[in-house]
Amino acid sequence: MLTSTLLAAATTPLQWSPTVGIIMIIVNIIAIAFGKSTIKYPSSEPALPSPNLFGGFGLPALLATTAFGHILGVGVILGLHNLGRI
């Protein structure tokens, strides 16, 4: 019974495409912009090799915003796939 329920809930697999990549890039840019305006100490140590290239972020802020962006990106991509948009 459980197996048939799980199989019925499964969707078609999502293949990578340039659209998926563009969505992930856009969502990560949004997450970095959100982090830039909300992180209390964005330039905390350890510093990155070229801080100006990374918007003045330190390593912890950069890792936090990109991780947050990937989590949001997966949600957006899977949500759009579930709606049939991509």
Side-chain angles (χ1 to χ4, degrees):
M1 172 84 180
L2 181 62
T3 304
S4 62
T5 304
L6 289 176
L7 289 174
T11 62
T12 58
L14 175 64
Q15 297 294 323
W16 187 90
S17 68
T19 305
V20 172
I22 290 170
I23 291 170
M24 185 61 80
I25 289 169
I26 291 169
V27 171
N28 270 288
I29 290 171
I30 292 168
I32 290 170
F34 180 73
K36 183 76 173 165
S37 65
T38 58
I39 294 176
K40 189 171 184 178
Y41 302 111
S43 59
S44 61
E45 295 292 327
L48 293 169
S50 179
N52 294 333
L53 181 65
F54 297 103
F57 278 163
L59 182 63
L62 181 70
L63 291 176
T65 55
T66 54
F68 179 60
H70 277 76
I71 292 168
L72 286 179
V74 167
V76 168
I77 290 167
L78 290 177
L80 288 173
H81 178 67
N82 192 28
L83 291 174
R85 301 291 182 182
I86 57 171

